Amino acid sequence: MSNVASIQLREITTSHNPRPPVPFLQAALAEEGYEGYKVIDLVHELALSDDPANKAKFVALIEKYEGQAVPDSLVALADSRVKREIQAILLRSFRVKAGDAYVTHYGVVVGERRFIAAAYNHAKHGLPAEIKAEVQDGARLNKDQAFDLAVDENAKRRGVSDYEHGVIFKEYRGRVNPATGKNYSLKEIGEKFGFDYQFVRGRHALAAYLPEADQRRLAAGGRVNITA
């Protein structure tokens, strides 16, 4: 059963989102000195830090890459949430061992941009480091199901790019098809999503084989020629 609660941002430690929530910043993290990071990592290292300098660095990165000049900017979203939260995000709970005990952490299923906006408002305005969330128990919603929900929700909100299709298809290549007991083939992925083999093959290659620098460029809205 799900319920809505105020969740501390520090307890939200992962994301099931197949697409980068703030693509321009994600694409620039390596050149900013954060090779291998995701923006959710920056939330924990910078925005939730006790050091005001780290908080300021997070704010500066968001405003540089995801500021008002960017369509549907994260800064505009954060500004709209200063006075009130319009919609709770969706989280999946799971347990992790901390010393001799277990603690509850959460993964974002829907609403990662709102999570990052809350972190921005905490770092910039000193608002509480928490967010309203609908929580689903990880025992009832596994990681694959959470990924599928995130895919469905993203498709409703914004069209899926070729590269984002590739990320989704790469994820499914690593999953076992219950009908065969083996990992999904590209043909089976096409049948599942209603695409032909060449469409799946071309887009899967973007996420599976392109150098990381090219993938970051695509994630930020860059283009590449593909054959199908």
Side-chain angles (χ1 to χ4, degrees):
M1 181 177 294
S2 63
N3 61 292
V4 175
S6 290
I7 302 297
Q8 296 295 309
L9 299 183
R10 68 174 57 89
E11 296 173 347
I12 303 171
T13 56
T14 191
S15 172
H16 303 289
N17 190 353
R19 71 194 341 171
V22 281
F24 296 104
L25 175 55
Q26 183 63 56
L29 287 183
E31 63 188 66
E32 292 287 351
Y34 297 97
E35 180 77 42
Y37 278 60
K38 293 183 178 179
V39 176
I40 196 170
D41 301 322
L42 286 192
V43 169
H44 287 272
E45 185 163 316
L46 300 180
L48 301 181
S49 170
D50 292 330
D51 185 347
N54 284 338
K55 285 182 165 66
K57 188 180 296 184
F58 181 81
V59 169
L61 285 170
I62 292 292
E63 292 178 350
K64 179 178 180 180
Y65 293 101
E66 304 289 338
Q68 298 287 358
V70 177
D72 301 319
S73 77
L74 187 130
V75 171
L77 173 62
D79 288 346
S80 74
R81 296 175 65 82
V82 168
K83 293 183 179 179
R84 66 189 182 100
E85 291 184 8
I86 299 171
Q87 183 180 13
I89 67 174
L90 175 61
L91 301 177
R92 171 184 176 270
S93 67
F94 58 94
R95 304 276 283 170
V96 296
K97 193 166 186 179
D100 294 330
Y102 282 87
V103 296
T104 300
H105 284 191
Y106 303 90
V108 183
V109 181
V110 176
E112 189 173 359
R113 280 172 53 80
R114 281 170 273 157
F115 162 73
I116 296 169
Y120 172 87
N121 282 336
H122 169 70
K124 186 175 179 72
H125 303 297
L127 297 186
E130 61 186 30
I131 192 168
K132 292 289 186 183
E134 177 184 349
V135 178
Q136 294 201 13
D137 190 333
R140 295 177 178 270
L141 181 71
N142 64 36
K143 289 190 291 185
D144 286 351
Q145 292 168 328
F147 180 88
D148 292 344
L149 274 177
V151 168
D152 290 343
E153 182 65 20
N154 276 303
K156 292 175 189 174
R157 291 176 179 269
R158 175 164 57 90
V160 180
S161 70
D162 287 332
Y163 175 69
E164 290 163 350
H165 269 124
V167 171
I168 294 167
F169 298 157
K170 182 182 176 184
E171 162 74 14
Y172 271 88
R173 281 288 288 136
R175 286 197 200 179
V176 173
N177 182 345
T180 66
K182 300 178 181 179
N183 283 24
Y184 277 95
S185 68
L186 295 181
K187 181 175 181 293
E188 290 165 346
I189 293 170
E191 291 169 350
K192 180 176 180 63
F193 286 95
F195 297 124
D196 65 40
Y197 170 78
Q198 291 299 333
F199 181 97
V200 174
R201 179 176 178 272
R203 285 146 186 84
H204 171 263
L206 298 178
Y209 303 120
L210 275 183
E212 287 188 11
D214 290 335
Q215 292 196 39
R216 288 194 295 268
R217 178 170 58 84
L218 288 176
R223 296 181 179 277
V224 67
N225 290 327
I226 56 179
T227 58

